[in-house]
Amino acid sequence: MAIKDCGGHKGGGSGCECHKRKLYRKCCGFLLAVILLALFVILVVYLVLRPHKPQFYLQDLAVLCLNVTPPASAYLFTTMQATVAARNPNDRVGVYYDSADVYAQYKGVAITVPTRLPVAYQGHRDQSVWSPYLRSMDNVMLPPELAVALAQDETAGYVLIDIRVDGWVRWKVGTWISGHYHLRANCPALIRVNEGKGSYGATTGGGTDYFRFQQAAACNVDV
């Protein structure tokens, strides 16, 4: 059996083949080292600059009208104004709000049409405040059982509404800007009806301070 020697031949095909194998192994090792170094640098940059998701707060919710009259009708008529604050908690990362819609939900069902927020950019530790009007616009018809539940809550004196923010954001580090990330925020709002006395069966309540937002609270945010 012939034994190939990569070091003892001055010529011949076996020596060239061994040399090519060594060169190939060196190239593969170099490329592997470059890849590992790049991954290490990316990991370090991510750990140092990793963006924290924005912080949302529901500062106020002014309910101007909330009218549903089951069983005669399951249509909901409502107008409210939500004051939502968003804060960028990052020291080195900016946030672009390219698109974001705000709407109200009751028990997981939308009770207003979405209102688009203006495009915004938040610098480091910056804060933005929006106060959009949310309306049903005669387009919201609740399932019969949900219309009954809302009327019962209003009669009892307290209604729990969720203010939702749904949009897309991008991160900015120096001159680098990331792709889009889906932003979802849920802000629970407890509304007191007629000082907690409720409407006593009249579901067309309104007037000054008839509906009162109980307490500002932080929102649950998912990016």
Side-chain angles (χ1 to χ4, degrees):
M1 181 176 65
I3 300 176
K4 294 183 179 179
D5 183 7
C6 290
H9 293 277
K10 295 182 179 180
S14 61
C16 291
E17 184 179 350
C18 290
H19 180 71
K20 289 179 180 179
R21 289 177 181 174
K22 288 183 178 180
L23 183 61
Y24 177 76
R25 285 195 294 267
K26 289 181 179 179
C27 290
C28 290
F30 176 75
L31 289 176
L32 180 61
V34 170
I35 293 173
L36 292 176
L37 179 60
L39 292 175
F40 176 76
V41 170
I42 292 174
L43 177 62
V44 171
V45 171
Y46 173 78
L47 292 176
V48 173
L49 300 178
R50 61 183 177 188
H52 297 283
K53 57 188 177 183
Q55 299 167 342
F56 276 73
Y57 304 90
L58 181 62
Q59 296 183 341
D60 191 22
L61 181 63
V63 180
L64 308 179
C65 172
L66 184 63
N67 182 13
V68 60
T69 56
S73 173
Y75 278 99
L76 172 70
F77 302 92
T78 183
T79 300
M80 56 186 73
Q81 184 181 23
T83 300
V84 180
R87 179 177 177 270
N88 175 15
N90 296 286
D91 291 322
R92 302 178 180 89
V93 181
V95 183
Y96 282 102
Y97 294 88
D98 290 329
S99 66
D101 293 324
V102 182
Y103 59 95
Q105 276 189 345
Y106 175 73
K107 295 186 182 298
V109 175
I111 59 174
T112 68
V113 296
T115 298
R116 178 61 56 92
L117 296 179
V119 175
Y121 171 75
Q122 286 181 340
H124 311 155
R125 297 284 180 178
D126 199 2
Q127 180 171 302
S128 302
V129 179
W130 302 283
S131 297
Y133 279 93
L134 310 177
R135 298 180 175 90
S136 57
M137 300 294 288
D138 300 339
N139 291 327
V140 177
M141 184 175 183
L142 298 177
E145 64 277 7
L146 204 62
V148 171
L150 178 57
Q152 290 175 344
D153 287 350
E154 188 175 348
T155 301
Y158 291 92
V159 179
L160 181 62
I161 294 174
D162 293 318
I163 302 300
R164 305 296 298 264
V165 181
D166 191 304
W168 295 90
V169 297
R170 291 179 296 164
W171 313 112
K172 182 178 184 294
V173 180
T175 59
W176 176 81
I177 300 176
S178 74
H180 287 93
Y181 289 82
H182 198 175
L183 168 73
R184 300 180 184 88
N186 181 32
C187 312
L190 183 62
I191 304 299
R192 187 178 64 181
V193 183
N194 193 19
E195 297 183 349
K197 301 174 184 176
S199 56
Y200 294 103
T203 58
T204 58
T208 304
D209 294 334
Y210 188 85
F211 299 101
R212 180 174 288 276
F213 178 55
Q214 286 298 95
Q215 185 177 1
C219 307
N220 298 317
V221 180
D222 181 36
V223 178

